[in-house]
Amino acid sequence: MREPLAISVLILTKNEQQDLPGCLHSVAWSDDVHVYDSGSTDETASIAQARGAQVTTRSYPHSAAPFGGDEAAHRNWGLRHIAFKHEWVLMLDADERATPELIAAMAAMLNQPGDVAAWRIHRRDYFLGTWIRHVTPSPFNIRLIRPAAVRYERIINPVTIVEGPVGDMDAHFDHFPFSKGLSHWFAKHNGYSTFEAAHIVNGGRGGDDFKLGQALFAQDANVRRMHQKALYYRLPLRPLVMFLGLYIGKRGFLDGRAGLVYATLRAIYEYMIVLKVTEMQSGLQQGGKP
């Protein structure tokens, strides 16, 4: 039996009874697993408890928002209030799996003291039974952290802000974003697109804090990505830009049918945002009133 690693695990959940068992199995090497639940109505909590995980439940203040509400604030609350046993915390979603390569890399990291405050880990997304190696837009994620050095910003798809050096770990975790089927994916992204659109209309994209130099040359990858997002939301024909960027620019065509379908889905998502911004700005939600 593998000796426990001195690393805590935090799994974010809401109605994850299907995917949670596999995730918990992949982190059985940890003696400090926490399931941070945002109000599941299925068997998520009981599954976690039956497998020895500690469950913390906290509902979002705005239940109409995607994933319940302000995701950044929710994550920040968890990092500040959950009593982790170890200095390092691995952050996972229920549809993600810690791989043997990642476990070995984390064990090696523990034996090499340093001043790194967080680690970026390569994410492998799977779709239609294959690893979509090229088409995914953001393959690296900050997931192994010292909680005191990390905070999150943005209501949805939060950006990770690290106070201190960030390292790149030569390992990966697996992600199965379509494990619940396309209907679930569309339902989730319908909610996401509504809030992305509202965020744009309310000035959350491309505002006065946007700097082109930061988008192109910022040394911190998260700062660069944040400003690149602002630049991206200023572009015309964003759905087409997204498709061409993923399918041609990132060579998604090398992923075969899965790459084509995934790039198309991402373009559809962008078009949903564009349409909803137009709807909000033109007042079409007023039921056609003059």
Side-chain angles (χ1 to χ4, degrees):
M1 182 177 179
R2 181 187 295 273
E3 288 292 324
L5 291 184
I7 294 176
S8 299
V9 176
L10 182 62
I11 305 171
L12 282 75
T13 62
K14 183 171 184 180
N15 294 331
E16 293 288 358
Q17 65 180 19
Q18 173 182 311
D19 289 332
L20 184 58
C23 185
L24 290 171
H25 179 74
S26 77
V27 297
W29 43 265
S30 174
D31 62 355
D32 188 45
V33 177
H34 296 262
V35 169
Y36 183 26
D37 190 70
S38 57
S40 292
T41 57
D42 63 1
E43 298 302 313
T44 295
S46 60
I47 289 171
Q49 291 166 344
R51 292 176 179 250
Q54 302 181 57
V55 178
T56 299
T57 300
R58 176 182 180 268
S59 296
Y60 285 89
H62 305 295
S63 60
F67 206 71
D70 188 333
E71 190 172 348
H74 187 68
R75 290 179 179 231
N76 289 335
W77 188 96
L79 294 185
R80 305 295 174 257
H81 292 86
I82 294 175
F84 299 110
K85 179 178 179 180
H86 302 297
E87 176 186 13
W88 288 98
V89 175
L90 176 66
M91 304 277 294
L92 291 174
D93 291 333
D95 60 357
E96 297 171 343
R97 308 287 181 264
T99 62
E101 293 82 3
L102 175 57
I103 297 168
M106 292 190 297
M109 180 274 297
L110 291 174
N111 294 323
Q112 299 175 353
D115 60 352
V116 173
W119 290 89
R120 278 185 290 263
I121 304 173
H122 190 270
R123 186 189 73 225
R124 289 189 177 179
D125 292 316
Y126 288 83
F127 180 43
L128 298 180
T130 185
W131 169 27
I132 44 177
R133 182 173 185 173
H134 303 90
V135 76
T136 50
S138 302
F140 286 93
N141 301 108
I142 295 174
R143 291 303 188 88
L144 186 61
I145 65 171
R146 287 187 166 116
V150 170
R151 73 180 189 278
Y152 294 94
E153 295 181 357
R154 288 187 61 207
I155 293 177
I156 59 174
N157 297 324
V159 176
T160 309
I161 307 298
V162 181
E163 295 180 4
V166 179
D168 293 316
M169 187 164 286
D170 186 19
H172 69 274
F173 64 94
D174 291 337
H175 179 216
F176 301 90
F178 295 89
S179 60
K180 300 179 182 67
L182 282 171
S183 294
H184 180 268
W185 187 92
F186 273 108
K188 181 173 69 173
H189 284 75
N190 182 45
Y192 281 162
S193 62
T194 298
F195 275 78
E196 288 275 13
H199 201 42
I200 293 170
V201 171
N202 293 329
R205 301 288 191 199
D208 293 337
D209 59 344
F210 164 70
K211 294 180 177 61
L212 181 60
Q214 291 284 71
L216 298 176
F217 305 115
Q219 292 186 348
D220 187 289
N222 285 296
V223 173
R224 189 167 63 249
R225 182 169 178 262
M226 198 159 42
H227 287 272
Q228 286 173 350
K229 279 273 191 180
L231 172 63
Y232 172 68
Y233 276 90
R234 291 168 175 243
L235 296 176
L237 302 175
R238 284 204 323 274
L240 180 59
V241 171
M242 173 61 76
F243 179 84
L244 294 177
L246 295 180
Y247 195 66
I248 304 299
K250 291 183 67 66
R251 301 183 299 165
F253 58 86
L254 294 177
D255 294 323
R257 177 171 174 262
L260 175 62
V261 176
Y262 183 82
T264 302
L265 288 173
R266 286 303 303 264
I268 291 172
Y269 174 59
E270 291 300 323
Y271 193 45
M272 291 165 68
I273 297 173
V274 170
L275 290 175
K276 290 180 181 182
V277 167
T278 301
E279 180 181 57
M280 293 175 186
Q281 291 178 334
S282 64
L284 292 179
Q285 287 183 319
Q286 301 302 314
K289 294 180 182 179

